[in-house]
Amino acid sequence: MSRVESSGRRKRATVKDVATEAGVSRGTVSRVLNGQPYVSDEARAAIDAAIAKVGFVPNRAARSLVMQSSQAIGLIVHEPHSLFVEDPNIGSILLGANAALSDADYQLSFLIADSPRDIERLARYLSGGLIDGVIIVSARVGDPITRAVADLGLPAAFVGHPRDIGDAAYVAIDNRGGAREITTRLAATGRQRIGMIAAALDRDSGSDRLAGFVDALGNRFDPQLVQRVPFYSYSDGQTGMRELLERHPDIDGVFASSDAVAAGAMDVLKDAGRVVPDDVGVVGFDDSSWALRCDPPLSTVHQPADQLGRAAALSVLAQLRGEDPQAGGRVLECPVVWRGSA
């Protein structure tokens, strides 16, 4: 029986509804809908019964996948257009994913979601059966792209670990642990007034880096020394550092939540007559090309962005072969790289 929304309209049943009713994963439901092997007779029977009970109608993408494969995987990045020029992690993720897909004779389709209009357009595109699966970068909790992919039952892997993706595949780093380690090391240099420019708090990476900063400082943590900014960008690093200096001119240490943010912060400190690291120690996160362009070179946390992209692509390919996603996802190492800025 189809579900009914509060407005009285019928709400279309989704792959997730079928999976919940049948007591299996969404990936298993997707394999049945796509005519793929490696599903037990018991699971198929449960899924068939669940489809009838919840009133699920397979979408165009599922029907097209039964007939053919597009040999294309979409990489969706939910970021403003401006970040594509200055965030080297996006390019590294893309290149890592493309290398893995090329080895498997798959084409990478790069898709950008910046505005609500982009998201609506992407949802329509995804439902057309033109790609076999997706890699999703920078998803937020409650992201409409995540919901669209789940409803379509597309094989998917996330770069990062949003809290609401259920049993979907993901590959990530320990953002909280990396932030805790580098902040602890910054504090060990004798800094007494350590602040943070905390970016991208609407996604798991940003919120986890702030949590790691709080962990490291413990009772020394002062929420007034945290400046929140929207994005992992150079300009947000400038804005955040100006705000911190205006409120707390005695600040002597800064954890910037990305290398681009740290570069912006260091330029503001230089303009203000503060010497890094003598007056203010600065650390970042990513170990991107920004880190070596800083003067002095930036202490940071290494993020293996190309490996993240490659691992996510391999996960999607495995799902297309009928394999279940790795339980608990995959977490890659992110060691501290200590340089002259602190």
Side-chain angles (χ1 to χ4, degrees), residues 188-232:
T189 64
R191 316 287 169 174
Q192 299 299 314
R193 297 283 286 167
I194 300 176
M196 178 179 180
I197 305 174
L201 294 176
D202 59 346
R203 68 200 77 169
D204 62 295
S205 60
S207 60
D208 282 353
R209 291 174 197 182
L210 175 56
F213 177 76
V214 175
D215 291 344
L217 294 182
N219 293 333
R220 294 176 56 191
F221 170 68
D222 181 353
Q224 296 302 313
L225 286 169
V226 175
Q227 179 61 45
R228 291 163 168 79
V229 296
F231 301 115
Y232 295 127

Side-chain angles (χ1 to χ4, degrees), residues 132-254:
D132 295 342
V134 291
I135 300 164
I136 304 174
V137 181
S138 298
R140 283 75 160 161
V141 171
D143 199 315
I145 295 173
T146 301
R147 293 198 299 270
V149 169
D151 288 347
L152 292 168
L154 284 171
F158 290 79
V159 176
H161 187 210
R163 305 293 186 251
D164 61 345
I165 62 173
D167 60 356
Y170 70 89
V171 57
I173 60 171
D174 183 4
N175 286 286
R176 185 167 185 165
R180 180 172 57 245
E181 184 178 353
I182 199 163
T183 303
T184 298
R185 189 157 178 178
L186 176 62
T189 64
R191 316 287 169 174
Q192 299 299 314
R193 297 283 286 167
I194 300 176
M196 178 179 180
I197 305 174
L201 294 176
D202 59 346
R203 68 200 77 169
D204 62 295
S205 60
S207 60
D208 282 353
R209 291 174 197 182
L210 175 56
F213 177 76
V214 175
D215 291 344
L217 294 182
N219 293 333
R220 294 176 56 191
F221 170 68
D222 181 353
Q224 296 302 313
L225 286 169
V226 175
Q227 179 61 45
R228 291 163 168 79
V229 296
F231 301 115
Y232 295 127
S233 71
Y234 174 86
S235 60
D236 279 335
Q238 291 180 304
T239 300
M241 193 68 249
R242 289 191 189 102
E243 293 289 337
L244 281 176
L245 278 177
E246 183 176 339
R247 294 201 313 268
H248 304 285
D250 59 341
I251 194 168
D252 62 0
V254 176

Side-chain angles (χ1 to χ4, degrees), residues 44-70:
R44 288 184 186 276
I47 290 168
D48 288 341
I51 288 172
K53 184 172 181 179
V54 304
F56 176 76
V57 178
N59 53 62
R60 287 181 295 156
R63 288 199 298 272
S64 68
L65 284 168
V66 170
M67 300 299 294
Q68 61 184 354
S69 168
S70 69

Side-chain angles (χ1 to χ4, degrees), residues 263-295:
M266 288 175 67
D267 281 350
V268 168
L269 287 168
K270 181 179 179 181
D271 290 344
R274 306 296 178 90
V275 177
V276 176
D278 298 350
D279 300 325
V280 184
V282 179
V283 298
F285 202 111
D286 287 335
D287 195 22
S288 66
S289 57
W290 280 105
L292 295 179
R293 294 207 300 267
C294 290
D295 183 19

Side-chain angles (χ1 to χ4, degrees), residues 19-87:
T20 300
E21 179 65 32
V24 299
S25 72
R26 285 179 295 186
T28 302
V29 175
S30 180
R31 287 196 293 278
V32 170
L33 293 174
N34 297 339
Q36 295 174 349
Y38 309 114
V39 179
S40 69
D41 292 340
E42 292 81 3
R44 288 184 186 276
I47 290 168
D48 288 341
I51 288 172
K53 184 172 181 179
V54 304
F56 176 76
V57 178
N59 53 62
R60 287 181 295 156
R63 288 199 298 272
S64 68
L65 284 168
V66 170
M67 300 299 294
Q68 61 184 354
S69 168
S70 69
Q71 292 295 112
I73 302 297
L75 190 148
I76 302 174
V77 179
H78 192 172
E79 292 284 11
H81 296 148
S82 59
L83 285 190
F84 286 81
V85 176
E86 67 174 76
D87 188 347

